[in-house]
């Protein structure tokens, strides 16, 4: 019997988690938890933190993500790594499409306690899935292309953005915790699939160099 790769098992588990979470969200079973998490975050509200998180949350917006992608294009072109760059672009676009489709199906209204302007539906979080896929795909590339201290620093900064952007969405009350969790799950499913294709491509490139 052919052994099932662990990546496919992880994808299956994450899909089950996503559908289970969506079911409980639709039932309203997660409402109390969502409110409690927001209350915890809003209790640490202060002007310096709000200013920092406002900048960070805008980095996860459509304009913010496009600007970052354009800025990243410079070092990728310089290092002749456009074949790697394409994964970041494909991931972000795929995430946005999937997110919009799910939003139109679930049609969850945004929290009543939001304190910055934000239109559209709530579930799942667009800023979060963009952050997970943008910085997550960069981490995959970094781990395959960099080494030493630069690799550690770059991975840390990318990981920090993957955490802070989702937190900022809850902090400003424009998303529930469960909106953010749904996007994180979807994002990691896409990243696992990306890593499968990326690993194959990089392995083929190494074999070509050896030849």
């Amino acid at each position: 019997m052919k052994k099932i790769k662990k990546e496919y098992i992880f994808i299956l588990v994450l899909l089950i988690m996503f559908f289970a979470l969506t079911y409980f969200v639709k039932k309203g079973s997660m409402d109390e938890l969502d409110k409690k998490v927001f209350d915890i975050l809003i209790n640490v509200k202060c002007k310096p933190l709000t200013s920092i998180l406002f900048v960070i949350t805008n980095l996860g917006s459509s304009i913010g993500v496009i600007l970052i992608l354009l800025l990243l294009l410079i070092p990728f072109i310089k290092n002749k790594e456009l074949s790697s760059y394409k994964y970041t672009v494909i991931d972000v676009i795929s995430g946005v499409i999937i997110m919009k489709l799910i939003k139109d199906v679930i049609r969850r209204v945004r929290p009543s306690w939001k304190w910055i302007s934000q239109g559209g539906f709530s579930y799942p979080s667009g800023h979060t899935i963009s952050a997970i896929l943008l910085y997550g795909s960069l981490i995959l590339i970094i781990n395959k292309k960099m080494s030493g201290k630069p690799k550690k620093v770059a991975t840390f900064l990318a990981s920090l953005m993957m955490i802070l952007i989702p937190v900022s969405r809850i902090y400003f009350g424009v998303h529930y915790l469960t909106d953010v969790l749904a996007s994180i799950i979807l994002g990691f499913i896409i990243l696992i699939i990306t890593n499968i294709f990326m690993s194959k491509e990089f392995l083929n490139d190494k074999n070509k160099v050896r030849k």
Side-chain angles (χ1 to χ4, degrees):
M1 184 177 177
K2 191 175 180 180
K3 187 178 179 181
I4 300 174
K5 289 186 177 181
K6 62 181 179 181
E7 289 89 348
Y8 300 132
I9 296 173
F10 288 148
I11 291 171
L12 179 60
V13 170
L14 288 171
L15 279 171
I16 292 170
M17 288 173 62
F18 174 75
F19 285 116
L21 179 63
T22 304
Y23 171 77
F24 288 121
V25 164
K26 287 292 286 181
K27 276 190 67 178
S29 305
M30 309 298 287
D31 292 354
E32 188 176 345
L33 174 63
D34 283 329
K35 182 66 168 64
K36 283 181 179 178
V37 171
F38 173 73
D39 289 342
I40 291 170
L41 284 180
I42 206 65
N43 281 333
V44 298
K45 179 182 175 182
C46 62
K47 194 170 183 180
L49 180 61
T50 299
S51 299
I52 293 169
L53 288 181
F54 188 74
V55 173
I56 288 171
T57 204
N58 280 310
L59 290 176
S61 67
S62 298
I63 295 174
V65 170
I66 290 170
L67 286 175
I68 292 168
L69 284 172
L70 289 174
L71 288 172
L72 285 171
L73 190 55
I74 299 169
F76 274 101
I77 291 175
K78 187 178 178 180
N79 293 295
K80 297 178 181 179
E81 287 289 352
L82 283 177
S83 60
S84 301
Y85 179 78
K86 73 174 182 286
Y87 287 106
T88 301
V89 176
I90 291 170
D91 276 4
V92 171
I93 293 173
S94 299
V96 169
I97 292 171
I98 292 169
M99 174 270 300
K100 287 187 177 294
L101 289 172
I102 296 172
K103 274 183 184 287
D104 288 338
V105 172
I106 304 301
R107 303 178 74 83
R108 189 185 198 187
V109 178
R110 290 190 184 272
S112 58
W113 55 74
K114 69 178 186 291
W115 52 290
I116 62 172
S117 178
Q118 186 74 61
F121 295 113
S122 188
Y123 185 93
S125 167
H127 283 60
T128 298
I129 198 166
S130 293
I132 296 297
L133 292 172
L134 172 57
Y135 297 104
S137 60
L138 286 176
I139 289 173
L140 292 178
I141 296 168
I142 288 165
N143 286 333
K144 288 176 171 61
K145 295 290 183 176
M146 296 174 69
S147 60
K149 191 174 180 180
K151 175 182 175 180
K152 290 178 181 179
V153 173
T155 300
F156 172 76
L157 292 174
S159 300
L160 193 61
M161 293 304 294
M162 289 174 72
I163 295 169
L164 291 180
I165 290 177
V167 168
S168 73
R169 304 310 287 164
I170 305 171
Y171 178 83
F172 287 113
V174 290
H175 279 293
Y176 300 100
L177 167 68
T178 43
D179 299 337
V180 166
L181 288 178
S183 288
I184 291 172
I185 293 170
L186 288 171
F188 273 97
I189 290 172
I190 296 172
L191 286 176
I192 292 171
I193 296 169
T194 299
N195 190 49
I196 293 170
F197 285 100
M198 195 183 291
S199 296
K200 287 180 180 178
E201 181 177 323
F202 289 175
L203 181 61
N204 290 335
D205 290 343
K206 281 184 180 180
N207 290 334
K208 287 178 183 176
V209 171
R210 287 171 187 171
K211 291 177 181 178

